[in-house]
Amino acid sequence: METVQSIKQRFEIIGNDPKLNRAIEKAIQVAPTDISVLVAGESGVGKESIPKIIHSLSHRKHGKYIAVNCGAIPEGTIDSELFGHEKGSFTGATGTREGYFEVANGGTIFLDEVGELPLTTQVRLLRVLENGEFIKVGSSQVQKTNVRIVAATNVNLFDAIEKGKFREDLYYRLSTVDITLPPLRDRKDDVHLLFRKFASDFGHKYKMPAIKLEDKAVQWLSNYRWSGNIRQLRNVAEQISVLETNREISLATLQSYLPVGGSNLPSIIKDKKSKSDFSTEREILYKVLFDMKSDLNDLKKLTLELMQNGVSKVQETNQHLIKKIYGQKENDHEIDFEEEPQTSIISKADVKNDFEENQDNYLFAEEIEEEEILRLEQKEIEMIKKSLEKNKGKRKAAADELGISERTLYRKIKQFDL
């Protein structure tokens, strides 16, 4: 059986960090099996090495190994790339094409950035994982494939699941075994080792002496945050190797090649609002409006109960409404209507007198509220109609534009009989 050290030498992996060694150990242990593996880690930590290790130590090592960057393939063509297509299945399909799952039969497929897969593709992938079956685009014939899938992601898939962007059942299918690679900032003792390796490689490549760091530069290098991880470190080493004539690199020279703010101290990060953030805010606004409607109905009901049945009966039968509207005091288990609630400046007697003297106004207020609710629904119907017309009846595109799920849009179409 291969050792961690022999694997490092074979795949040119530099470092002695315990978390890195544990990740390699898990890759060695899982390689002889056919179970799926999910590799997690920040961008630039070297996740692509793990599937190569797994493939080379498996019984599939003589089969094909295909690496696919899911984030680099357009959504409209990714199904064709992965599963193939039949001639004439879409514009430009001038011939039948084999997909990666057909080509890699008997081998291994590495799906990098699997969190970027569209939901429709995720359904197809789930079927492959469950029973090895897939259907080409434009075909009705079910085909079989025998591939081992290793996936990688630099995003938190649990967050993606909560946002409805990643299927929970697919996550558990992919993550039979989880392997996590640590970020470079957690491998401080390995930073200088990696830098020296890159400096040596670039010195040989460009036929010049390898650069060396002064002691202060080494210390600063190890404490730098490295948001781009190993990829960023490699780029910095290459830049300095090419541009600096003096091969002894001082701290000032090194700092000139790195962006300010890369220390390990906490920093303030500006809030960047994406389209999904605004969509979330819109959903929250809808929820607040409908919650207000519910609260107003509860308040009207409680007020009428007070007028008709008296305080004692209302307190006995409507405790849940009282607590919902007025809250609950820290040291009391029951709201006392004889004592003025802290959340209101109007007494019970004032409410009763006002109700008796202004019943017409109360009814008018109810009519206004109902009109406001109707206006809200009309605006919602108008928005849905315009979005469906704009997207030519495509519910998924309309739901994305409105910032709601496709299921919610379908429910509202039925509710408003659109």
Side-chain angles (χ1 to χ4, degrees):
M1 187 176 180
E2 295 273 4
T3 64
V4 172
Q5 194 59 38
S6 65
I7 288 296
K8 286 181 181 178
Q9 292 174 353
R10 183 173 165 185
F11 291 91
E12 297 185 340
I13 298 173
I14 308 297
N16 296 307
D17 182 78
K19 292 179 181 178
L20 174 66
N21 291 341
R22 178 56 185 152
I24 297 172
E25 284 175 2
K26 289 175 77 172
I28 294 171
Q29 290 172 334
V30 78
T33 70
D34 271 339
I35 57 180
S36 56
V37 178
L38 181 63
V39 185
E42 295 179 8
S43 180
V45 296
K47 296 187 292 294
E48 65 279 356
S49 297
I50 298 299
K52 291 178 182 177
I53 294 170
I54 291 172
H55 177 71
S56 66
L57 299 181
S58 71
H59 62 85
R60 300 173 180 269
K61 61 185 177 183
H62 299 297
K64 283 188 176 291
Y65 172 81
I66 297 178
V68 183
N69 188 330
C70 301
I73 303 175
E75 183 174 343
T77 61
I78 192 163
D79 283 353
S80 172
E81 293 287 326
L82 293 177
F83 308 106
H85 64 254
E86 293 291 344
K87 181 180 179 180
S89 56
F90 55 86
T91 304
T94 56
T96 301
R97 182 187 184 280
E98 292 183 345
Y100 297 135
F101 279 98
E102 189 172 358
V103 173
N105 188 25
T108 304
I109 287 184
F110 170 44
L111 299 177
D112 197 9
E113 307 305 342
V114 72
E116 301 295 327
L117 283 175
L119 287 171
T120 52
T121 308
Q122 292 178 32
V123 175
R124 288 174 174 263
L125 179 58
L126 183 63
R127 186 173 183 182
V128 174
L129 285 163
E130 286 177 344
N131 49 33
E133 294 179 350
F134 70 95
I135 301 175
K136 286 184 177 181
V137 176
S139 173
S140 59
Q141 182 181 354
V142 177
Q143 293 183 237
K144 280 278 192 179
T145 186
N146 177 20
V147 295
R148 204 251 185 90
I149 297 176
V150 180
T153 180
N154 66 348
V155 300
N156 188 325
L157 290 183
F158 283 113
D159 289 344
I161 290 169
E162 288 180 1
K163 293 176 182 177
K165 294 181 179 179
F166 201 81
R167 292 179 62 95
E168 188 173 9
D169 48 1
L170 178 58
Y171 169 78
Y172 288 114
R173 279 286 185 179
L174 288 172
S175 62
T176 308
V177 172
D178 284 322
I179 297 178
T180 303
L181 288 173
L184 191 56
R185 61 182 170 274
D186 292 344
R187 299 170 52 192
K188 291 185 179 181
D189 294 338
D190 293 343
V191 175
H192 190 217
L193 290 174
L194 286 161
F195 186 88
R196 286 169 53 190
K197 172 66 167 62
F198 294 145
S200 176
D201 289 346
F202 292 128
H204 179 73
K205 179 179 179 180
Y206 298 115
K207 297 178 181 178
M208 56 180 67
I211 56 173
K212 294 181 181 178
L213 298 179
E214 294 179 357
D215 291 342
K216 289 183 179 179
V218 170
Q219 185 178 1
W220 193 85
L221 186 85
S222 300
N223 289 320
Y224 192 75
R225 188 161 182 80
W226 299 111
S227 56
N229 293 295
I230 298 171
R231 187 181 294 122
Q232 183 187 12
L233 178 65
R234 186 180 186 278
N235 291 344
V236 169
E238 186 169 17
Q239 287 181 59
I240 298 174
S241 296
V242 172
L243 299 177
E244 291 298 322
T245 54
N246 184 1
R247 311 314 281 177
E248 292 284 337
I249 307 303
S250 66
L251 173 59
T253 302
L254 176 62
Q255 289 176 329
S256 68
Y257 285 90
L258 288 164
V260 179
S263 68
N264 276 322
L265 294 174
S267 59
I268 297 173
I269 300 173
K270 291 183 179 180
D271 183 26
K272 297 180 180 177
K273 289 191 175 183
S274 63
K275 180 181 176 182
S276 60
D277 294 328
F278 288 115
S279 299
T280 304
E281 287 179 4
R282 184 159 46 190
E283 287 189 357
I284 292 171
L285 181 60
Y286 282 143
K287 185 178 185 303
V288 168
L289 289 171
F290 286 112
D291 285 347
M292 285 173 63
K293 173 187 173 183
S294 175
D295 289 343
L296 283 168
N297 288 336
D298 289 339
L299 187 58
K300 287 192 298 182
K301 180 180 176 182
L302 186 60
T303 305
L304 289 171
E305 287 279 345
L306 280 168
M307 301 305 100
Q308 294 171 2
N309 301 319
V311 174
S312 59
K313 187 172 181 181
V314 170
Q315 283 186 295
E316 290 175 4
T317 59
N318 292 279
Q319 276 297 312
H320 65 290
L321 277 179
I322 295 169
K323 290 176 182 178
K324 182 179 177 183
I325 296 169
Y326 295 102
Q328 184 169 316
K329 297 179 182 179
E330 291 183 4
N331 299 319
D332 295 336
H333 296 286
E334 187 174 308
I335 302 297
D336 186 1
F337 272 92
E338 301 302 327
E339 188 177 316
E340 184 179 330
Q342 293 181 357
T343 55
S344 175
I345 58 171
I346 302 173
S347 69
K348 185 203 75 171
D350 291 336
V351 172
K352 182 175 180 180
N353 293 335
D354 183 69
F355 183 79
E356 290 175 349
E357 293 173 7
N358 300 285
Q359 288 189 24
D360 293 339
N361 291 339
Y362 273 85
L363 294 173
F364 180 66
E366 288 181 18
E367 290 174 4
I368 291 175
E369 182 196 346
E370 288 175 1
E371 287 179 10
E372 291 295 328
I373 293 167
L374 286 173
R375 286 178 188 172
L376 180 62
E377 288 184 352
Q378 287 169 0
K379 290 288 184 185
E380 193 173 10
I381 290 169
E382 287 175 14
M383 288 176 65
I384 292 171
K385 281 183 177 179
K386 286 180 181 178
S387 184
L388 286 169
E389 289 173 6
K390 180 181 176 182
N391 293 282
K392 299 179 180 179
K394 294 178 181 178
R395 288 203 298 265
K396 186 178 186 305
D400 290 340
E401 185 179 44
L402 291 167
I404 58 177
S405 67
E406 190 174 356
R407 183 180 297 177
T408 301
L409 177 60
Y410 180 73
R411 178 171 55 78
K412 289 187 178 293
I413 289 172
K414 290 187 69 177
Q415 177 186 343
F416 299 131
D417 194 23
L418 299 178

